[in-house]
Amino acid sequence: MSKTMPLAVLWLLATTATLLLIMQPISIEAQFVMGVAAVGGMAAVWMFSKEGVWRQVFLALATAVVLRYVYWRTTSTLPPISEPINFVPGFLVYLMEMFSVLMLFISLFITADPLERKRARQLRDAELPTVDIFIPTYNEDKSLLATTIAAALAMDYPHEKRQVWLLDDGGTEQKVNNPDPNVSVPAKRRRAELQRLCAQLGAHYLTRERNEHAKAGNLNNGLDCSTADLIVVFDADHGPVRSFLRETVGHFADDPRLFLVQTPHFFLNPDPLERNLSTFERMPSENEMFYSVIQKGLDKWNAAFFCGSAAVLRRAALEETGGFSGVSITEDCETALELHSRGWNSRYVDIPLIAGLQPENFVSFIGQRSRWCRGMVQILMLKNPLFKRGLRFEQRIAYLSSSLFWLFPLTRLTFMLAPLLYIIFSLQIYEASFREFVGYTVAYMAVNIMLQSYLYGRLRWPWVSELYEYVQSVYLGRAILSVVVNPRAPTFNVTAKGQTSDKEQLSALAGPYFAIFGVLAVTGAYAAWRYFTEPAGNDLLMICGVWNAINLVIAGVALGVVSEMPERRRAQRLAVVRRAVLEIVGVGEIAVSVEDVSTSGVRVRPLEDALPPMKAGATIAMLRLVNDDGTVTKEAIAVVLRRAGNDDRGRFLGMEFIQLTAPQYKLIADLLYRSANVFEAFRSRRRKSRSVIGATIGFLSWSFYYTLRAFRIGLRRNQPAATDMEGFASAETGFGVEIGRSEPALPRVQSHLHVAPAMPVEAGTTSVPAPAAAPAAQSTAAVGVATPQVEQAEPSEAQRRRSISTSTAATASLGHDVWEYAV
């Protein structure tokens, strides 16, 4: 008490002194000098020292400038209330500004001192807890699932202490028995094919009776049918590295009240902005700021939350709350909120331990973000963190930050349209002279830019946040309104991935962006005409004209985002370094180095100068990997030559995988997910900061170039294919594929249930051993083909109601859409 009281008094005195200083009436000249001094002080701190107490000095100077602006904006710039035609829109703009300031201070609270957590304590095998690994799936491609399952099985962990479960919501009884054959036949084929895949790889296949409560319901079904101490969740496209469990599980031994260890999501492919603006290889990814700064800040306040995948959770904690929460469509954050409110703890580990996929085209991107937005607004309205019992003050602020952030479309659209109110309609929404604008607003804007660069410089380039927010806001504004009107209406929707295109074309959603750009361009021209033709100088017109010009630049770059570039590559490549042996049929062996790999092929570089003649499409070979001890794998991957060429490093060969089997999927997973160092190296290469001036010039050039490119593509009148709309849920109503919505009632299936075997099954086998530590029962054939009979215990009633699985064998081709589960 003796130490905390003086500290509290000191903070109180400092706060009081700052507020008194902020409220002092001074001249514009003095304000300008103070602003320059504060910005100069921040620049000095930035140049000479970024850490320790100087970090707090930097943030304190920035806070003083912001608060000074807020005081001036509140007391001197609002239109008189006696003029409602000016006051109402002016006050709405003011409220949006104040909301932005509030979010700024909340973000500073979160990120002022992010936690750098130590690595997990390494446990002996005898100390390790049991682990159930859940891979929820809906309609993902078999090859994608095979690679993820193989990677999960290859993790460094005692075999007897881990089980891998494929939780298939695409082969439920509800779908298999649907009266529509267009639904039931693919579901039956899918179920049979994935059962065989799991049996061959050594995983458990599990489905359920009905598609209820989307991903949360699927995961809860897995909980009911498994028993391990810890639960690991991987999205179907999220392959883990071998060290995933070793880097995470040890944390649970340190804290018996720990319910979650979350790791970052690392993506192999660019999102639509990165692809269409060609920035994937050189600009930090959008999620870098969240996973490398914000989650660390949340972790400091014990508020790091579950992100839907790449996480480990404690079963005992989940059972306390009845499993994964499913009131909102963002079950991950909602689940973490419930557990934090009950006194459980979480940790965040900033090591990229998985690699996944993100939406390739703009339609899927907006559909995904619409779900995130609607889900977080649902949490804000239905389970408001500010009033949630059991949360500490810091946790309330943290969860409030995560929820309120998704209201950014309201501020972004307001700031986009506000200048038009004066330029076109001459509404006096902002009362200030040009000198006042320079003295107060310029310093405030400079501080905002400096704060962003100081806190996130290596992780987010200047102006990129504004671009991401704008391109989402056009559609997410009505998504927010739909939740406000009916908070319980949103349903889980599909996000398509793995989509390809062979030509440039405008996105199916591009129309509003061209319309907004046109309005802003005409408004800018009209503002210039008014400024040069009206006799009296007009400071407010100049301010609004500059404001509109900034918006026009952002809108111009956004046209580049909605102009889709060709994407012919279905499987994304990952750079690796691995020795291998290529056994060419009819020729012999040659030593090669694997340079990159995807789920469909590899690029290798021969280590020998003399190469036999090879023909693309006709040269067949077997690829064997060289282990760390120099031995060569017994299993091999069949490949066919697709391309041979030369570069500055010599000869290279592009090989495609053919006739893949379960053992070969394990080799591919070993290539892709052997070490987290590959992911970390790629992430580090892109973490390059840009100066504010350089980034601004670059952004202006982007706007000019991509505006011209967008209109060139538009003038070709290329119509986007109808399939571009797959997986899109409208921001205003959530139409599309709605997984959470029940299908027509079906007759109840009377059958005994069991879990698919966790060991390979050869053709013609009639019985297999039951998996260890998993409840099971005798089964009947569910899809009309022979089913192995297994002597197993009778399931509980809860398991009978919620789990249905078979072990039939069949083959079928699957669709290519991917159900997006992750945040």
Side-chain angles (χ1 to χ4, degrees), residues 196-212:
R196 182 175 184 178
L197 174 67
C198 288
Q200 291 173 337
L201 289 172
H204 304 291
Y205 175 90
L206 184 65
T207 188
R208 54 181 174 150
E209 193 164 305
R210 299 187 62 82
N211 296 84
E212 295 177 334

Side-chain angles (χ1 to χ4, degrees), residues 53 60 93 107 252 268 335 355 357 377 383 406 466 495 502 511 525 527 561 605 611-612 619 672 678 760 817:
V53 68
V93 173
S107 68
F252 290 89
L268 295 171
T335 299
L357 300 175
V377 176
K383 298 190 174 183
W406 286 97
E466 287 75 10
T495 298
D502 60 357
V561 178
R605 192 172 296 276
L611 288 177
T619 301
L672 278 166
V678 176
D817 293 340

Side-chain angles (χ1 to χ4, degrees), residues 287-316:
N287 67 351
E288 289 275 342
M289 189 170 78
F290 172 74
Y291 282 112
S292 293
V293 178
I294 295 175
Q295 273 281 49
K296 289 181 180 179
L298 295 172
D299 196 21
K300 178 181 177 63
W301 304 116
N302 190 24
F305 61 84
F306 178 35
C307 296
S309 179
V312 187
L313 301 99
R314 193 186 296 271
R315 178 184 293 273

Side-chain angles (χ1 to χ4, degrees), residues 55 103 106-116 286-305 307 348 350 397-399 401-403 405 455-456 459-460 465 469 687:
R55 182 183 179 92
M103 291 304 299
I106 290 178
S107 68
L108 290 180
F109 174 81
I110 299 298
T111 60
D113 188 21
L115 179 63
E116 296 292 339
E286 181 205 14
N287 67 351
E288 289 275 342
M289 189 170 78
F290 172 74
Y291 282 112
S292 293
V293 178
I294 295 175
Q295 273 281 49
K296 289 181 180 179
L298 295 172
D299 196 21
K300 178 181 177 63
W301 304 116
N302 190 24
F305 61 84
C307 296
Y348 175 68
D350 188 29
I397 299 300
Y399 274 102
S401 170
S402 301
S403 299
F405 166 79
L455 295 174
Y456 315 116
L459 308 172
R460 180 66 59 85
S465 288
E469 289 187 2
R687 289 183 170 180

Side-chain angles (χ1 to χ4, degrees), residues 70-151:
V70 169
Y71 178 74
W72 168 76
R73 184 77 171 87
T74 305
T75 59
S76 304
T77 65
L78 290 175
I81 196 170
S82 59
E83 301 175 5
I85 194 172
N86 293 324
F87 177 78
V88 172
F91 188 67
L92 290 176
V93 173
Y94 166 79
L95 287 180
M96 291 297 100
E97 278 196 77
M98 294 305 103
F99 177 76
S100 297
V101 171
L102 172 65
M103 291 304 299
L104 171 63
F105 284 134
I106 290 178
S107 68
L108 290 180
F109 174 81
I110 299 298
T111 60
D113 188 21
L115 179 63
E116 296 292 339
R117 189 171 289 281
K118 296 180 180 179
R119 301 185 80 153
R121 178 162 61 92
Q122 296 301 303
L123 304 177
R124 299 190 303 272
D125 284 3
E127 301 175 297
L128 292 171
T130 55
V131 176
D132 281 319
I133 301 158
F134 291 171
I135 303 173
T137 174
Y138 183 70
N139 60 356
E140 290 81 356
D141 186 272
K142 172 190 169 183
S143 63
L144 184 85
L145 293 171
T147 307
T148 302
I149 295 170

